[in-house]
Amino acid sequence: MPYVRLTSARKKRRRPAAPFAAAWHAAVAAVVAGAGAAAVAWGGAAPFGVELPALAVLAAAAIFGALLSLFEGAAAITLLIWAVAAAAAALLTGGAAGPLAAWCLAPMAAASAFRRSGLLALGGALSLGAAAIAALAGVLLPLPPPPAASAEWLALMAMGVIAVGLAAGLIGLQGAHARADRARDEAETELREALDHQPQLLLTLYPGGRILNAFGADLLGRGVRGLKDERLPDLVGFEDRLAVEEALHVAAHEGSAEAAFVPAHDPNGWLEVSFRRLGANRIFAAVRDARAQRAREHELEKARISAEQQNAGKSRFLANMSHELRTPLNAIMGFSDIMRQRLFGPMGDRYGEYAELIHESGSHLLELINDVLDMSKIEAERFELAREDFDARDAVGAVLRLMRGQAERAGVTLRAVMPPEPLEAEADRRAVKQITLNLISNALKFTPRGGTVTVTAQGAGETLELIVADSGVGIAPADLERLGRPFEQAGDAQQRAAGSGLGLSLVRAFAALHGGEMAIESGVGEGTTVTVRMPVLVPPQAEMPAPAPAAEA
């Protein structure tokens, strides 16, 4: 993040200030201590005069300053110590007129050593305060007179140390500022280069669309530097100009907007722009070249239309073929039924068996053709529901009676759970029967002899729930993900051969046509439960209260 990086850079610029300030204070302490030692050695000052305590106070302030300079945030405390020490030294040597009065400037000199402009004001204020204290004390208090013997060299030492210290600090401060300016210029140069070489066109605009600054790629045909003071809508193709102006208006009032347009200089181009509001009278815009993306979208749209057309053609072909196949198949089934019933006289047992096989095979093929026809109509969006009011229990019960014989031949117990009150539904009766039939057929196919299939029909508000649960072999997770798509089957080869793979897909499609859904829960060896929910139940109407008899006059 840019903010974090800038903060980190500022901290890096401050790190050299701590060693420099510590070295500055150490040098001042050494000079002051050396001056005091020299005075004692050369006999220029009395051992117990006021000069040595004053120099000791200043040396102590310098030593404390050197130590505190190494800690973050201790600069203000250091300047305060310098103000107190300077005022004390001045008071010990005669006040504002004494030889050490120049040390009142020590706080400002120390502030410059920290190389921080913000501390100069504090240092100047503390220096002014120390000088004011020294001057007022000289007027109001009986201060000791300035030492005559050492006044000259003390004044010279004070002026020299303060002058050199302040000069060194200011030079260091100016150098720190120069380095900071160079770093800022380098960062600005790098940022400008990054903006100029990035693939988008970045703009700042007035809400009316006039361009203030531009960086990045030349996407509008005027050159990036030539965009200043141009109106963005004027650089847009005529047909898209109104959309861009409207997006600018929305961004100015709501904060953000997007638009796409053909640039005026390139009729074959396609650009997308995102607007974001910056304050009350600025808008930021990011323009990107979306020609390749638009071409890909067009290709995908063409591929989608082509796939839909091919799928619709396949569905129409299947529907037509199903109709063509049903006509001769009905004749085959009719003649085979006549033969197996021996309506025109006796027939050999072998021929009777063949006629039975022909009729069974024809029935199976007719079921397959009907499933294919229904699925093709649904995929071609030509299947229309014939909605009517009926008791859903009757439709489910009819299928149960039809499948009872098949369940007995398979050795499977078929049970029904339905409420005693009617389940009034507004739905396609044939579709409800087909859903129930397909679910029971699948359950019987995958339930071994001795198993159980339970069919439940119940209401939940306005939702009809059809639940078929079996105690069969269950469905593997890999097969569970595929089921419900046309021609997808589960189980072994023998079980796959017993169906077309359209049963569950038709159940899902019929449920979806009614605004419902199908859910499958299963585990290998744990059986399977298929639940179909459709919002088709008609809420019972409340009975109107009988009118009260009229009172006799």
Side-chain angles (χ1 to χ4, degrees), residues 47-383:
F48 300 104
V50 294
E51 299 88 341
L52 291 183
L55 293 177
V57 170
L58 295 174
I63 293 172
F64 276 112
L67 296 176
L68 292 176
S69 299
L70 301 177
F71 296 94
E72 187 72 23
I77 299 176
T78 303
L79 300 185
L80 183 60
I81 291 175
W82 268 118
V84 173
L91 293 177
L92 289 173
T93 56
L100 296 183
W103 281 97
C104 291
L105 296 175
M108 188 168 62
S112 67
F114 283 99
R115 299 182 180 180
R116 289 160 59 182
S117 301
L119 290 176
L120 286 178
L122 177 61
L126 291 174
S127 295
L128 184 60
I133 291 174
L136 289 175
V139 175
L140 301 177
L141 299 176
L143 298 178
S150 58
E152 293 182 1
W153 70 268
L154 286 176
L156 182 62
M157 184 268 297
M159 293 295 296
V161 172
I162 294 299
V164 172
L166 182 59
L170 292 176
I171 292 173
L173 178 62
Q174 191 276 335
H177 279 291
R179 287 191 294 273
D181 291 341
R182 285 196 300 272
R184 183 172 59 254
D185 292 340
E186 291 175 0
E188 290 179 356
T189 301
E190 292 177 358
L191 179 59
R192 183 174 291 274
E193 289 179 355
L195 291 175
D196 288 339
H197 290 85
Q198 50 88 32
Q200 298 187 10
L201 175 62
L202 305 181
L203 306 171
T204 53
L205 312 98
Y206 283 119
R210 187 163 67 87
I211 298 174
L212 299 176
N213 294 296
F215 304 94
D218 179 18
L219 300 180
L220 297 176
R222 296 290 184 90
V224 177
R225 297 293 176 260
L227 293 176
K228 185 175 177 60
D229 294 329
E230 294 280 352
R231 287 189 73 253
L232 178 61
D234 296 340
L235 306 177
V236 176
F238 180 76
E239 294 182 354
D240 300 322
R241 193 167 297 170
L242 182 61
V244 172
E245 290 181 345
E246 197 165 315
L248 278 168
H249 179 76
V250 171
H253 290 81
E254 299 182 7
S256 65
E258 294 185 352
F261 61 90
V262 175
H265 76 286
D266 184 8
N268 297 320
W270 185 252
L271 303 178
E272 292 181 351
V273 57
S274 299
F275 296 108
R276 296 293 184 273
R277 184 177 59 201
L278 299 175
N281 58 351
R282 293 290 189 276
I283 292 178
F284 174 79
V287 185
R288 55 192 174 276
D289 189 350
R291 185 181 321 196
Q293 178 182 348
R294 192 187 192 196
R296 286 193 299 269
E297 290 177 353
H298 283 176
E299 291 296 327
L300 291 174
E301 182 65 16
K302 289 171 57 178
R304 184 188 65 81
I305 294 174
S306 176
E308 288 181 351
Q309 291 175 347
Q310 293 177 5
N311 189 57
K314 179 262 298 180
S315 298
R316 286 193 298 271
F317 172 76
L318 289 176
N320 294 333
M321 288 301 299
S322 298
H323 281 295
E324 295 297 328
L325 288 174
R326 289 175 70 179
T327 300
L329 185 58
N330 285 331
I332 293 173
M333 292 183 62
F335 290 139
S336 63
D337 190 46
I338 292 174
M339 293 172 63
R340 71 191 183 101
Q341 294 185 34
R342 296 172 173 83
L343 296 180
F344 297 113
M347 186 174 55
D349 294 339
R350 181 66 60 88
Y351 289 112
E353 183 180 352
Y354 288 163
E356 187 72 30
L357 291 175
I358 292 172
H359 191 272
E360 289 181 1
S361 300
S363 299
H364 179 71
L365 183 57
L366 182 60
E367 291 177 1
L368 175 60
I369 291 174
N370 288 334
D371 288 346
V372 172
L373 182 59
D374 287 341
M375 182 56 64
S376 62
K377 285 183 178 180
I378 292 172
E379 289 185 346
E381 298 182 354
R382 293 169 52 190
F383 191 96

Side-chain angles (χ1 to χ4, degrees), residues 412 443 446-448 450-454 469-474 525-528:
V412 177
F446 288 97
T447 302
T452 302
V453 173
T454 303
D470 63 63
S471 59
V473 296
E526 299 177 359
T528 302

